[in-house]
């Protein structure tokens, strides 16, 4: 730290000396006249000459002899630093003048002595923040503040010192270079920046060097290019290097400032290593029942390279029966996977020997002299005996059976064997999922397939079933074979008309006219094809109306014998025709042809034997007739709806007399418990409330205000007024703040005090009805007089 302070102090004194040399010619107390400059920058002043009113214009000379000043940055002495002094020719003796300074930093950073013109820097300056300041100087009258000269502009430049160290922007850095690169191979370039003035001195002249990272890499001192400095750098030995770079200003000389950064250089992989098997001999034991395409073993050739350079391709280049195995490459693990191409058989061959080769997929010619980029290994395979399932003699069977064969007829036989040395016995079964109707059976011991139900070729021509073979000693070993059974045809179906024919005969037809062409079909399928023979039934051979003609193509034509057919006489004829096939034995059937007599036009067009023929002469088509019919149906529906609505509207809403309303009566068979039942209701609500201070609180609401019960009114025997009693109670209920604004049931357990009649409740009296005297009810007024008479009459009736 002290060394750096000495260097900075030396730079400061050097800068002060340079500033003094540059500024002495410009700071002078002696007025100097520069005619050429005065002509360029002088002010125009108006003077009065000898002639009155005449105005002579001339240029006044100005004594400013500067254009710039210098001040050293980062100067921090005890007193303000003197930047320079301003002087004018008008400053003669004790003339009353004043120097004024304006512009950037005037009054804050720079202050001028208004009497002497000395300019001082009041603050510590930093050239990197602001390199120069533009100010304006002017001389004015001290008393009147009137300008004596026009203002002039000058600059103060902040002189640089080496106070900023070089900086690497964006560090630390990363770079890559291929391994095994030649010496001098460019890696990367890192440069630093220096905030000092690059024009003044060597403060910003940088020199680069490597502090750490030799002898692997070098750097150009001026360009900062980093290059490979060591031959044959191997990534497999070391992949990453940390290089420290230094940038020093002042051209690298003593006293310069420096900055450092790090560059992480990673060697990129190249294919400079061949694959290598970890061992020269691999041995695998593979069960003979291993499925085709399944892995039987794995081999691995290691490659020190990475990525694409480490990818290897495996091949079988030698060995016995190489077509039984194949080897593929796992793209994730780069392993060679040994797989089966053909099934193994322990009884046939029990071991194999293969030679496997691993070769790099990528190849770099520059390393061709390093040798072949491949390796070989031997693979020995031992076949392990497994309990194999039975093997059918054929994977599929084709059997044939006639459809008229009887039940238990042997259709064919399947055969399977146990390929193992133990040669277990075999049992055969039919998979009933393929024979849902159970039409076939198989002998469990010898595999003979028999018929279980009659077959019909016309229903199913083919039957596909699956037969399974299972070892007796190991039921889990099962094999399957497909058996296709073809049902052969026999002549068991008689021919019949191809369709239900209905022929039309014109009344004005000619004799020999073809009425209908008839063909037949047969569900059977003879080998030589169908051949049908047609004839009329014997009783119709000599009929006078129709005859048939063989067309030679298994069809016939029905002909009319005369032209005397009339609908008025007979509208319809039925012609039985016998059709016989050429099967063994031949079968035949009788089919009836219906012939309808119709009225026809002269051109032979049928007109009057169907609905459309009758409608056409009127000029209406079938579509028009359907539309008319639809409209009629729609009108009928509307009328029915209208009548139904009217009937519903006239029905009364009350229940008719004949309706049984007893359906709405709900009966309850529960009976009350009487006076002994104390759980059906609260007995306390019927008691006199004297025990609770004469007041029963409401149980349905919680009153906000406590309503005090009024005292009972005592009336004499002759002064009872029930109307007044009820009105008073009604008024109290209306003004009771605890009463709800809705209807509610209120239970009164107390009937009042002072009543001559006393309590009417039967719960608190020990007298019977016969002891009661109801004469006092007559004294309560007209309304109770009738009630007393009724009770008195009731008692007298009981006594009698």
């Amino acid at each position: 730290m002290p060394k750096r302070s000495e260097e900075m102090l030396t730079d400061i004194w050097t800068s002060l000396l340079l500033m003094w040399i540059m500024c002495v010619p410009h700071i002078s107390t002696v007025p100097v006249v520069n005619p050429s400059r005065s002509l360029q920058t002088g002010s125009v002043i108006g003077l009065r000459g000898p002639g009155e009113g005449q105005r002579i214009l001339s240029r006044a000379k100005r004594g400013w002899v500067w254009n710039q000043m210098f001040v050293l940055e980062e100067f921090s002495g005890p007193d303000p630093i003197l930047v320079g002094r301003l002087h004018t020719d008008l400053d003669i003796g004790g003339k009353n003048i004043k120097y004024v300074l304006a512009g950037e930093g005037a009054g804050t950073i720079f202050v001028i002595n208004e009497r002497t013109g000395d300019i001082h820097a009041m603050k510590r300056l930093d050239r990197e923040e602001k390199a120069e300041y533009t100010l304006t100087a002017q001389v004015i009258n001290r008393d009147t503040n009137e300008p004596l000269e026009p203002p002039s502009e000058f600059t103060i430049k902040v002189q640089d010192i080496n106070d900023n160290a070089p900086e690497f922007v964006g560090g630390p850095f990363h770079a890559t270079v291929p391994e095994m690169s030649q010496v001098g191979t460019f890696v990367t370039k890192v440069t630093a920046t220096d905030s000092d003035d690059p024009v003044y001195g060597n403060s910003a002249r940088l020199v680069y060097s490597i502090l750490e990272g030799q002898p692997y890499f070098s750097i150009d001192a001026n360009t900062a290019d980093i290059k490979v400095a060591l031959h044959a750098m191997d990534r497999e030995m070391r992949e990453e290097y940390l290089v420290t770079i230094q940038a020093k200003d002042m051209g690298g000389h003593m006293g310069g400032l420096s900055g450092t950064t790090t560059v992480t250089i990673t060697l990129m992989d190249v294919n400079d290593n061949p694959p290598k098997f970890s061992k020269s001999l691999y041995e695998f034991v593979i069960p003979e029942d291993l499925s085709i395409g399944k892995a039987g073993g794995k081999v691995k050739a290691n490659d020190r390279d990475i990525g694409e350079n480490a990818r290897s391709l495996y091949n079988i280049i030698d060995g016995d029966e190489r077509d039984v195995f194949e080897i593929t490459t796992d793209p994730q693990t780069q392993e060679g996977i040994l797989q089966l191409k053909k099934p193994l058989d322990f009884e046939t061959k029990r071991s194999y020997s293969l030679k496997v080769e691993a070769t790099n997929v990528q190849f770099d010619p520059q390393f061709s002299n390093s040798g072949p980029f491949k390796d070989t290994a031997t693979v020995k395979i031992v076949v392990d005996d497994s309990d194999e399932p039975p093997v059918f003699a054929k994977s599929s069977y084709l059997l044939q059976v006639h459809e008229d064969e009887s039940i238990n007829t042997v259709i064919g036989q399947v055969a399977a064997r146990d390929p193992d040395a133990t040669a277990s016995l075999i049992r055969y079964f039919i998979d009933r999922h393929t024979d849902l109707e159970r039409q076939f059976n198989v002998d469990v011991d010898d595999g003979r397939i028999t018929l279980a139900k009659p077959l019909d070729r016309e229903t199913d021509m083919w039957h596909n079933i699956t037969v399974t073979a299972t070892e007796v000693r190991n039921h889990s070993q099962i094999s399957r074979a497909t058996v296709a059974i073809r049902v052969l045809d026999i002549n068991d179906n008689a021919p019949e008309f191809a369709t239900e024919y209905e022929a039309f005969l014109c009344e004005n037809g000619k004799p020999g006219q073809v009425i209908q062409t008839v063909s037949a079909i047969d569900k059977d399928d003879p080998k030589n094809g169908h051949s049908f023979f047609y004839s009329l039934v014997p009783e119709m051979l000599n009929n006078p109306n129709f005859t048939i003609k063989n067309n030679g193509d298994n069809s016939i034509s029905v002909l009319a014998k005369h032209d005397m057919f009339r609908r008025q006489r007979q509208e319809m004829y039925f012609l039985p025709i016998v059709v016989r096939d050429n099967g063994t034995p031949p079968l035949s059937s009788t089919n009836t042809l219906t012939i309808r007599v119709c009225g026809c036009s002269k051109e032979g067009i049928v007109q009057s034997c169907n609905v459309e023929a009758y409608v056409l002469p009127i000029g209406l088509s079938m579509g028009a007739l359907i539309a008319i019919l639809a409209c009629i149906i729609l009108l009928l529906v509307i009328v029915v709806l209208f009548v139904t609505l009217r009937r519903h509207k006239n029905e009364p809403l009350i229940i008719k007399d004949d309706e049984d309303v007893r359906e709405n009566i709900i009966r309850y068979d529960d009976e009350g418990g009487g006076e002994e039942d104390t759980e059906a209701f609260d007995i306390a609500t019927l008691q006199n409330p004297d025990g609770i201070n004469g007041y029963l609180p409401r149980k349905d609401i919680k009153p906000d205000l406590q309503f005090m019960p009024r005292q009972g009114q005592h009336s004499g025997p002759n002064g009872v007024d029930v109307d007044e009693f009820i009105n008073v109670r009604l008024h109290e209920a209306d003004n009771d703040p605890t009463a709800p604004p809705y209807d509610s049931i209120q239970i009164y357990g107390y009937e009042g005090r002072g009543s001559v009649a006393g309590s009417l409740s039967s719960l608190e009296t020990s007298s019977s009805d016969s002891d009661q005297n109801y004469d006092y009810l007559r004294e309560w007024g007209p309304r109770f007089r009738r009630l007393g008479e009724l009770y008195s009459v009731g008692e007298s009736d009981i006594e009698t």
Side-chain angles (χ1 to χ4, degrees), residues 207-416:
V207 175
Y208 299 91
S209 62
I210 292 181
L211 300 181
E212 182 181 351
Q214 295 175 337
Y216 307 105
F217 300 95
S218 62
I219 188 170
D220 189 284
N222 297 319
T223 62
D225 291 342
I226 300 176
K227 299 179 181 179
V228 175
L230 187 64
H231 178 69
M233 297 176 65
D234 192 0
R235 184 200 65 84
E236 288 72 32
M237 299 297 295
R238 183 177 177 182
E239 184 176 4
E240 194 173 87
Y241 296 84
L242 184 64
V243 180
T244 303
I245 306 297
Q246 174 183 275
K248 189 173 183 181
D249 58 13
M250 299 297 292
H253 297 297
M254 183 180 296
L257 303 179
S258 64
T260 60
T261 188
T262 58
V263 181
T264 303
I265 301 177
T266 304
L267 297 183
M268 295 187 301
D269 184 61
V270 297
N271 191 15
D272 59 338
N273 295 283
K276 187 70 177 177
F277 283 104
S278 58
K279 51 186 179 180
S280 59
L281 177 63
Y282 293 86
E283 293 182 348
F284 301 106
V285 177
I286 300 177
E288 65 172 330
D289 59 351
L290 185 68
S291 302
I292 295 176
K294 295 294 184 179
K298 295 180 180 180
V299 298
K300 177 67 179 295
N302 299 315
D303 195 324
R304 298 176 64 192
D305 297 323
I306 59 174
E308 291 294 322
N309 297 322
R311 289 184 56 195
S312 298
L313 182 64
Y314 297 89
N315 292 291
I316 299 175
I317 60 175
D318 196 8
D320 47 356
E321 298 191 26
R322 291 159 49 190
D323 57 342
V324 177
F325 298 93
E326 65 177 353
I327 190 168
T328 60
T329 303
D330 189 333
Q332 302 297 329
T333 62
Q334 292 299 310
E335 293 177 320
I337 302 175
L338 199 64
Q339 297 176 337
L340 281 181
K341 292 176 64 179
K342 293 182 179 180
L344 299 176
D345 188 3
F346 174 81
E347 289 73 24
T348 304
K349 189 173 179 63
R350 301 188 178 187
S351 64
Y352 297 86
S353 179
L354 304 174
K355 189 174 183 180
V356 179
E357 180 184 69
T359 308
N360 271 152
V361 177
Q362 302 288 342
F363 177 71
D364 196 339
Q366 64 174 329
F367 302 106
S368 58
N369 297 329
S370 302
F373 280 73
K374 58 185 178 181
D375 194 20
T376 59
T378 301
V379 178
K380 288 190 175 181
I381 301 171
V382 177
V383 181
D384 185 23
D385 187 22
S386 302
D387 189 5
E388 301 176 84
V391 178
F392 279 94
K394 295 187 293 184
S395 59
S396 62
Y397 293 84
L398 176 61
L399 306 179
Q400 294 181 348
V401 59
H402 286 91
E403 59 179 329
D404 63 340
E405 294 291 349
S406 60
I407 297 176
N408 295 327
T409 300
V410 178
I411 301 173
Q413 186 176 10
V414 296

Side-chain angles (χ1 to χ4, degrees), residues 457 489-491 522-531 582-583:
R457 189 201 69 86
D489 184 50
I490 62 171
N491 192 26
D522 194 335
K523 295 180 180 179
D524 296 325
D525 186 19
K527 295 181 179 180
N528 299 325
H530 291 289
S531 180
N582 60 340

Side-chain angles (χ1 to χ4, degrees), residues 682 684-685 697-702:
D682 189 2
T685 59
R698 292 285 300 277
K699 294 183 179 181
D700 54 342
I701 63 172
K702 183 178 180 180

Side-chain angles (χ1 to χ4, degrees), residues 417-456:
R417 65 177 182 86
D418 184 6
D420 299 321
T422 56
S424 173
L425 295 177
I426 306 300
R427 294 289 181 264
Y428 302 93
F429 302 94
I430 293 179
D431 186 355
R432 291 305 177 182
H433 292 91
T434 61
D435 184 25
L436 297 177
E437 297 183 1
R438 297 181 176 270
Q439 293 179 301
F440 305 95
N441 290 326
V442 63
D443 191 287
V444 295
D445 296 322
D446 57 14
R448 290 187 300 174
I449 299 176
T450 58
L451 192 64
K453 290 183 180 180
L455 301 178
D456 186 6

